[in-house]
Amino acid sequence: MEGTDKKKVYIETYGCQMNVADSQVVLSLMQEEGYEPTERMEEAHLILVNTCSIRENAEQRVWGRLDVFRQQKEQHPNTRVGVIGCMAERLKEKLIEREQSVDLVIGPDAYRALPDLLEEVESGQKGVNTLLSREETYGDILPVRRGKNKISAFISIMRGCNNMCSYCIVPYVRGRERSRDPQTIIREVEQLAGEGYREITLIGQNVDSYKWKDARNNPHSFAWLLEQVAKAEPGVRIRFATSHPKDLSNDVLQVMARHPNICRHIHLPVQSGSNRVLKAMNRRYTREWYMNRIDTIRSYLPEAEITTDVMTGFPGETDQDHRDTLSLMEYARYDFAYMFAYSERPGTRAARKMSDDVPDHLKKQRLQEVINLQNRLSATSKEKAIGKTFRVLVEGPSKKSKDDYQGRNSQNQVVVFPREETKTGDFAEVKIEKSTPGTLIGRLADNQ
Ligand code: 5AD
Ligand code: SF4
């Protein structure tokens, strides 16, 4: 660590896409301070870990990493270690009490304080800031995107969550909802398109609650923003995540139908198929209402694929509740799902008011049944694609063979094909010949 070299910052990111986007904001802030990003922890002056609190095992993983960072610090005493993100927000000073090698603890709304807090650390103190904000969107900060292929990017459009699902830690660690100035969003879209990006995903904890009041106090919705973005760069694919089923409006579906560059994919977390459980979760929709949303999506966008999040073993979940979840999954014919066993999070309504009474083995058994069913649904959904031709955004070599390339279609399905002349970043027309539950396999449509 020679004094003349630029100082280096190393950042590890856990959790959702919001954290990925936030890490890019943090890198941008640190670059302003003269730091250079590095992929090698060993040469870093500052090690940051951007953390997730959504389930207990997400936090366990971070504790494991902090052990490694402590050892690194023992060898290089000038290294500083910072815990940022959701776990920093949840545990605050307790993090330092348990892990003395941590110098900095910074919550998701306090990243601008990082340089000042670092100075405090240099004067021998610990730096802690976990204030949540009603305004912070980091809208003026241009994220530093470091991926190798500059094809696909996330843009954060709103932060926080007002929903208060009873199991969820997010409202506590990410604060109230606030939306980003649309001008800064469009500017970023145009800039990314200019740099050659071909796909942009608008992200937020609940994108459908995007709300912006212009100078004349006229409100603008997510449907409006989505259309502005789609029109700004018709050559760029637009995705968005995540939608809350109670907030996904028909306006959004209509905007999607009008703009072919908005991808035919909706991630619509269902969590449970039982009305009783949905009520206890405070999801504010019923099974019937959700089914109706599925029907409506399919009527506007017949070619769309729908994906979801499912949770098993919520407090009080009975066998019948579980069977309701399975039958709703069958109804929705999901193409893909993220599936979890319920994990009690301290401070949430479920933790305070309900007993975590589904035994672990039953949570896991139900989870396995959900996974088995989803495998079957994924297989059926992929089989439907055989014989069809899709426009695929080429992401690069496939995992299994360098002669095969892979990318995604508009439906967000992974497509693998013999590469021939295609390059990363191309749009290729691929005709599907075979499928697995996770992948479509085909060849370039022009070369048959
Ligand atoms: N336990 C298990 N899964 C959870 N999720 C959110 N909170 C919990 C929890 N306490 C899941 C939900 C959500 C996804 C991001 O994580 O399915 O949609
Ligand atoms: Fe994890 Fe939620 Fe924080 Fe994302 S917002 S990192 S999912 S706790």
Side-chain angles (χ1 to χ4, degrees), residues 377-402:
L377 296 176
S378 295
T380 310
S381 168
K382 300 294 186 302
E383 280 160 18
K384 259 185 359 216
I386 294 173
K388 292 188 187 159
T389 300
F390 292 102
R391 196 169 146 81
V392 174
L393 175 55
V394 182
E395 290 167 4
S398 85
K399 287 188 201 108
K400 292 201 183 131
S401 151
K402 67 176 176 10

Side-chain angles (χ1 to χ4, degrees), residues 45-49 62-83 93-105 118 121 125-127:
H45 299 78
L46 174 61
I47 296 177
L48 295 174
V49 54
V62 171
W63 287 116
R65 291 307 291 160
L66 289 178
D67 278 344
V68 175
F69 300 154
R70 182 184 352 94
Q71 288 159 24
Q72 171 72 15
K73 226 174 130 169
E74 280 159 11
Q75 284 167 18
H76 300 280
N78 289 330
T79 311
R80 305 289 172 241
V81 172
V83 179
E93 284 84 0
K94 280 186 236 150
L95 256 165
I96 296 173
E97 285 159 25
R98 174 158 160 196
E99 184 61 75
Q100 277 290 315
S101 59
V102 172
D103 301 295
L104 291 155
V105 175
L118 260 177
V121 170
Q125 292 160 304
K126 301 276 181 181

Side-chain angles (χ1 to χ4, degrees), residues 330 334 371-381 383 437:
E330 296 245 22
Y334 297 117
I371 292 170
N372 294 346
L373 170 58
Q374 185 52 49
N375 279 339
R376 184 155 65 68
L377 296 176
S378 295
T380 310
S381 168
E383 280 160 18

Side-chain angles (χ1 to χ4, degrees), residues 146-182:
R146 285 176 50 76
K148 267 182 246 74
N149 38 18
K150 295 195 162 269
I151 296 168
S152 189
F154 299 136
I155 298 185
S156 158
I157 62 161
M158 53 93 62
R159 298 176 76 79
C161 183
N162 291 354
N163 281 327
M164 301 304 277
C165 299
S166 61
Y167 51 79
C168 189
I169 195 73
V170 171
Y172 302 90
V173 293
R174 284 193 165 263
R176 309 289 293 170
E177 267 172 26
R178 67 225 94 123
S179 296
R180 180 172 167 190
D181 181 341

Side-chain angles (χ1 to χ4, degrees), residues 16 53-56 167-170 242 267 269-271 283 309-312 338 340-345 348:
C16 62
S53 289
I54 198 98
R55 283 168 291 277
E56 199 188 341
Y167 51 79
C168 189
I169 195 73
V170 171
T242 292
H267 187 64
V270 65
Q271 314 299 358
R283 290 292 285 176
D309 296 349
V310 182
M311 204 188 298
T312 64
Y338 294 103
F340 312 102
Y342 171 70
S343 160
E344 186 176 81
R345 307 312 292 130
T348 58

